[in-house]
Amino acid sequence: MTEQTLPHADRRKRQLPQINPVYFVLAALIVAIVVMNPAFAEPTGYMNFLKRAAPLAILAAGQLYVIVSGGFDLSVGSVITLVVVGSSILSNNDPNSTWWVIATMFAIGAGVGLINGLVVCYLKVPSLIATLGMMITLNGVAFMWSGGSPRGYLTDQFRFFGRFNIPDLPLIRILPVALIVLIVLGFALYWLMHRTNLGRMIHAIGDNPRAANLAGVPVNRVRILAFMVSSLSAVAAGILLGGFAGVSTDVGTGYELQAITAAVLGGAQLLGGRGSVPAAIAGALTLNAIFTLLNFLGLPQPIRQVVQGLILIAAVAVAMQRRKHTGR
Amino acid sequence: MSDAPVIAMAHISKSFPGVRALNDVSFACHAGQVHALVGENGAGKSTLIKILSGVYRPDAGNIVLNGANANFKHPVESLRAGISVIYQEFSLLPERTVAQNIFLGREPRKGLLLDHAAMRSETRRVLDLFGAGARVSPDALVADLDVATQQMVEIAKAISLDARVVVMDEPTAALNEAECEVLFATVDKLRERGTAIIYITHRMREVTRLADRVTVLKDGEVAAHFDTPPAPDAIVRAMVGRDIADYYAPPATQAEIGAPVLSVRNGGNAFLRHIDLDLRAGEIVGFAGIQGAGRVALAMALFGQVPFTTGTVTLNGANAAFANPRDAIRGGIGLLPGDRKAEALVLMQSVRDNGLLTARAFAPLVGTQKSNAHASLSSMDALFDQMQVKAASYEQDIKFLSGGNQQKAVVARWLALKPKVLIFVEPTRGIDVNAKAGIYHLMRDLARAGTAIMMISSDLPEVIGAADRILVMRAGSIVAEFPHGAAETDLMLAATGETEVAA
């Protein structure tokens, strides 16, 4: 029979450093950036960094919900595109439209998440394929809606969230609104994932859906909610990104994979059961710090993609090694 | 049959960091004999076998194989020396045929090509050696075979390797009664051929049926050694270190058994026919039968996982034809699945999370995880304490706990909900003797508190000892009823359909 003779002491030793390694990696990268560019230590330096990283951080925290529930959400990048393109068309340069446009975008996001969840739960399409199909569909919708060449601009009111800095503050001098949004949403997503019954059930269905079902967990409802959280956080990320990105039909391209990479850097277990919202946010900051560093090194843009791909593989490989050593 | 042992392990000691796994253990096995190695989980059985097969190296002591020193550094060395270990988790490739599995890594060749004909005929010869030829075709895919037959393929593989020592690690763990008989016959055949067999088990029936000699391990030491098959009581006493007169809880008295709680009339679905059943408050009803007889299907029908399509189900008089587990739980039915790892545990979560899973599933989605209408962190901790769940911390991942402690945590999950009917499927599979006794007493305590208990078990002595009433199922129907303490043979006969007993 299975015996408990396996090294107890070793196990305890290994459990001692409970701090997620992503925080050390992030700290090391920040030190490296500061060494190369001392201006980064100034408030304008790191506040701008956080502002630019905020959309991906929120996206990664939302993506984590789907990953912990045992799936992937590849549609979030196309949701971002749809939000940016759709908002510019709907608002039609009218500053008063901002609030109802944002409300509409969150409604669309909720609908996308709901459809993703329903397709996965009831049509039994694997989430990778279901959300890939949704990604292609939404990119097409954004293209058609804009007639292929997005016209117009986002109003300054709309761009407020992603672009505006609250000036003249003591100590930190400026505070980007995007950072406030990140802190508020980050805390809300942390609370929902790690402090509520829903969060525990998302962990359970990603860990063992059959056991969760036999324990009375409403597996489909929980899974659909996870997809909706992911899509809604993509809407929030799209609104922030609209603050500093131009209106185009490829503004969200690639963000879905960056979000997954960030969540995995944060130690999320692919195929479900384990993950942390703060660590996923740290993973997003880490990824952005790596990109910043590559910029300073003067490496061309395509290198970013090469590096990102290697990071994704390396992060999963490291996670698998860790899992092997801790047994399962 | 000479008196010199084929294999002798002398004064073996082995420590892991923080744990003394084996202390001065000596063990020998003779040709043509079955030497049973018994002990609770954690007694050191697996460690001893892993040392024998070269997976671990001993800290002290030595191994003698056929009179020569044999301290293996790698499992392949022991395999070459003629020691085959059949683990509980088989090492077969499911998408390959029986013949391909048996010759995996040493396929006979004809020139550059594999000699399929030779593989097939040699496989058939080996299978025939222990009378399995009729049961297994060399060309069958392993994935298509049932567990018992896969085990025969493992045994055939051992024979084809000319193993002089075959080690079987709890070979009946996944087998039903009929399959066990086939396995026992196979072991007898191996013994006649002069193979030395080390048979690891903690089921007394298998020891008395098979063993020529018995060694009992407890806490890494030899607690007892018998050169002739002893009485089961002596073995159990050595295993647990105490008498087991109170192993099973006493049956219910007539006064304790109340009115029917859950009733089924003419229930049926694809797997079940004409089910008439009453589960009463305060009563433990045991279900016996061979695998596939419909016992688990009945549990899943009551629990709404695979509902009845015909007939009526009532719970305290109200309609209780539940369409899914969630409805069934809301109605007051709980179920402990038979396959803990696959169906009950969320392995990456903490002991607490596992205990609180169902309570949380019926609490508001965005409510705090710390407490709800059914349980709280502290009430769950108290329940764990009361059930003596052994864990370094209840925050620990449940995967690190032993099977018995995992099972207790799953039981705690249901206790928090206070169900009216609790269904136990194979409640003691893979847990040690003391934990088993704990589960029996817990079932009895629950029954005394008014719960109706349904217990499905493939362990006949357990059904007979723990249940107040025993129903035997066969081919999707309930075919016979027996009182507490019925004879094992009567149950067997009813289960296999050898004779009809008035229901």
Side-chain angles (χ1 to χ4, degrees), chain A residues 73 108-118 134 224 227-229 231:
Chain A
D73 187 352
I108 290 174
V112 170
L114 180 67
I115 295 170
N116 278 340
L118 289 173
M134 180 59 87
I224 289 167
F227 277 104
M228 289 179 70
V229 169
S231 291

Side-chain angles (χ1 to χ4, degrees), chain A residues 23-79:
Chain A
Y23 298 112
F24 296 112
V25 175
L26 179 59
L29 284 167
I30 288 172
V31 169
I33 293 174
V34 170
V35 166
M36 293 189 64
N37 178 9
F40 189 82
E42 299 287 314
T44 44
Y46 62 78
M47 282 301 179
N48 269 320
F49 170 78
L50 289 172
K51 182 161 87 174
R52 298 230 155 217
L56 181 60
I58 291 170
L59 201 62
Q63 179 75 239
L64 185 79
Y65 276 68
V66 176
I67 291 182
V68 171
S69 80
F72 295 95
D73 187 352
L74 294 182
S75 69
V76 290
S78 63
V79 170

Side-chain angles (χ1 to χ4, degrees), chain A residues 1-327:
Chain A
M1 268 317 299
T2 47
E3 292 194 37
Q4 292 303 313
T5 41
L6 278 165
H8 285 271
D10 267 13
R11 197 182 299 145
R12 213 163 293 142
K13 217 184 297 165
R14 222 177 280 122
Q15 278 187 346
L16 257 183
Q18 274 290 356
I19 301 171
N20 194 313
V22 72
Y23 298 112
F24 296 112
V25 175
L26 179 59
L29 284 167
I30 288 172
V31 169
I33 293 174
V34 170
V35 166
M36 293 189 64
N37 178 9
F40 189 82
E42 299 287 314
T44 44
Y46 62 78
M47 282 301 179
N48 269 320
F49 170 78
L50 289 172
K51 182 161 87 174
R52 298 230 155 217
L56 181 60
I58 291 170
L59 201 62
Q63 179 75 239
L64 185 79
Y65 276 68
V66 176
I67 291 182
V68 171
S69 80
F72 295 95
D73 187 352
L74 294 182
S75 69
V76 290
S78 63
V79 170
I80 289 178
T81 304
L82 192 67
V83 165
V84 173
V85 170
S87 299
S88 79
I89 294 170
L90 284 182
S91 65
N92 202 14
N93 291 334
D94 174 8
N96 297 321
S97 65
T98 304
W99 292 110
W100 71 261
V101 167
I102 286 178
T104 307
M105 288 305 141
F106 275 110
I108 290 174
V112 170
L114 180 67
I115 295 170
N116 278 340
L118 289 173
V119 169
V120 170
C121 288
Y122 293 101
L123 302 184
K124 308 286 178 205
V125 180
S127 63
L128 204 66
I129 303 299
T131 58
L132 182 70
M134 180 59 87
M135 169 177 117
I136 296 167
T137 307
L138 291 185
N139 278 332
V141 168
F143 198 79
M144 287 194 304
W145 197 358
S146 67
S149 53
R151 65 201 146 73
Y153 302 92
L154 287 166
T155 63
D156 283 344
Q157 279 74 7
F158 191 92
R159 289 176 178 257
F160 169 82
F161 300 99
R163 184 154 66 181
F164 191 72
N165 294 330
I166 299 170
D168 303 326
L169 292 170
L171 209 64
I172 54 172
R173 269 189 276 171
I174 58 165
L175 180 60
V177 175
L179 181 57
I180 300 175
V181 174
L182 169 59
I183 290 169
V184 170
L185 289 185
F187 185 80
L189 289 171
Y190 163 79
W191 173 81
L192 192 61
M193 182 64 121
H194 299 291
R195 288 290 176 264
T196 68
N197 295 317
L198 175 66
R200 297 326 305 169
M201 283 193 278
I202 290 174
H203 281 82
I205 67 169
D207 193 331
N208 186 344
R210 182 167 167 76
N213 176 49
L214 288 174
V217 174
V219 175
N220 289 345
R221 202 181 312 163
V222 171
R223 178 159 287 143
I224 289 167
L225 284 172
F227 277 104
M228 289 179 70
V229 169
S230 176
S231 291
L232 289 171
S233 65
V235 173
I239 292 169
L240 292 190
L241 204 61
F244 49 82
V247 178
S248 79
T249 49
D250 62 358
V251 57
T253 305
Y255 265 94
E256 60 286 324
L257 293 179
Q258 287 189 26
I260 293 170
T261 309
V264 170
L265 272 177
Q269 180 93 58
L270 286 184
L271 305 181
R274 184 164 285 173
S276 145
V277 169
I281 291 175
L285 298 182
T286 302
L287 200 57
N288 262 357
I290 292 170
F291 292 157
T292 307
L293 207 56
L294 294 178
N295 260 347
F296 286 156
L297 291 169
L299 295 173
Q301 188 71 4
I303 297 280
R304 267 171 72 144
Q305 289 180 353
V306 174
V307 170
Q308 192 194 332
L310 295 178
I311 289 172
L312 182 60
I313 295 170
V316 174
V318 169
M320 288 297 172
Q321 284 302 313
R322 267 210 314 251
R323 186 155 80 163
K324 204 162 79 187
H325 285 303
T326 49

Side-chain angles (χ1 to χ4, degrees), chain B residues 18-38:
Chain B
V19 187
R20 179 125 219 197
L22 291 174
N23 185 19
D24 194 23
V25 171
S26 297
F27 180 86
C29 195
H30 298 69
Q33 291 199 356
V34 176
H35 196 147
L37 186 59
V38 299

